[in-house]
Amino acid sequence: MAVRIRETTEVRQSQITKAALKVIGQKGINGATTAEIASATGISEGNIYRHFKNKEEIFIAVIDKIGKDLESLLDAASEIDDPLQKLAEIFKRHLSYIEEHIGIPRLIFSDEVLVLDKNLRTKVRHNIAQYSRGICSIISQAQDAGIINRKLDPGVLTSMFIGTINFTAIQWVMNDFSNSLSAEVEILWMTFAAAITTKC
């Protein structure tokens, strides 16, 4: 007789969070019911409530996961000395990360997050602010090094950097994920970099 291993709450919450993001990608935020999330996790729906009070808590955990993953993108590029190359690496990894998790744009740009649920909106805003500070710091380093035009406002450039990624993700969703973000990333980065560097 097989022995059933009971996972710790931390492990189970992580499993549920990852499953929820996958379900959101497949069915959208409204289709991500606790029953669907439980099925994708491989547990009963009742077991969901042993680890999360409600669906909103699950969505908050998903948003937290996305925030931590974005922080990891910054950390992964920290060993690159050239700040422009560092920005390029983050830009490319960010779009690849979205392409690997189609639930991200379907969650972040949903009415539930942008309009209806203040808690979710606040959490997303907090995570974006943290990520933005990291990007802005690198842009400032590139300006100090004379690589990026010093006359350009680093905060505005940060918004352009993230905005380019977000708009590309929105278009991807609207095209039913038919195009490849990986195929577009080089031309997108080259165009962005040409617009802000002192070499152009």
Side-chain angles (χ1 to χ4, degrees), residues 22-96:
K22 183 177 180 181
V23 173
I24 291 168
Q26 295 169 339
K27 300 178 180 293
I29 192 168
N30 291 327
T33 62
T34 52
E36 290 285 351
I37 294 169
S39 177
T41 309
I43 61 176
S44 68
E45 185 175 4
N47 207 5
I48 286 277
Y49 295 103
R50 293 184 57 201
H51 306 285
F52 293 98
K53 291 180 182 178
N54 49 45
K55 192 163 69 169
E56 184 187 58
E57 274 201 357
I58 298 174
F59 291 158
I60 287 175
V62 173
I63 293 169
D64 278 340
K65 169 182 164 47
I66 295 169
K68 289 174 183 176
D69 288 346
L70 291 180
E71 285 183 25
S72 295
L73 294 185
L74 296 175
D75 292 340
S78 63
E79 295 182 1
I80 300 174
D81 293 328
D82 185 302
L84 190 64
Q85 289 182 8
K86 188 178 296 187
L87 286 172
E89 186 67 18
I90 295 168
F91 186 92
K92 294 170 185 178
R93 289 192 183 202
H94 192 157
L95 278 173
S96 294

Side-chain angles (χ1 to χ4, degrees), residues 126-173:
H126 172 74
N127 288 343
I128 290 175
Q130 283 191 310
Y131 183 62
S132 296
R133 283 192 288 272
I135 297 299
C136 192
S137 176
I138 300 169
I139 288 173
S140 295
Q141 292 170 22
Q143 289 180 311
D144 291 341
I147 300 169
I148 291 179
N149 191 336
R150 291 188 178 95
K151 295 181 180 179
L152 301 176
D153 183 273
V156 173
L157 293 181
T158 299
S159 295
M160 289 173 59
F161 180 96
I162 297 174
T164 300
I165 293 170
N166 286 346
F167 183 70
T168 302
I170 291 172
Q171 284 188 311
W172 186 53
V173 174

Side-chain angles (χ1 to χ4, degrees), residues 24 28-32 55-56 59-60 63 105-122 124:
I24 291 168
I29 192 168
N30 291 327
K55 192 163 69 169
E56 184 187 58
F59 291 158
I60 287 175
I63 293 169
R106 298 194 75 175
L107 171 64
I108 301 302
F109 303 125
S110 67
D111 281 349
E112 191 78 22
V113 170
L114 295 179
V115 180
L116 301 177
D117 194 311
K118 183 179 179 180
N119 290 333
L120 296 181
R121 186 167 65 251
T122 299
V124 169

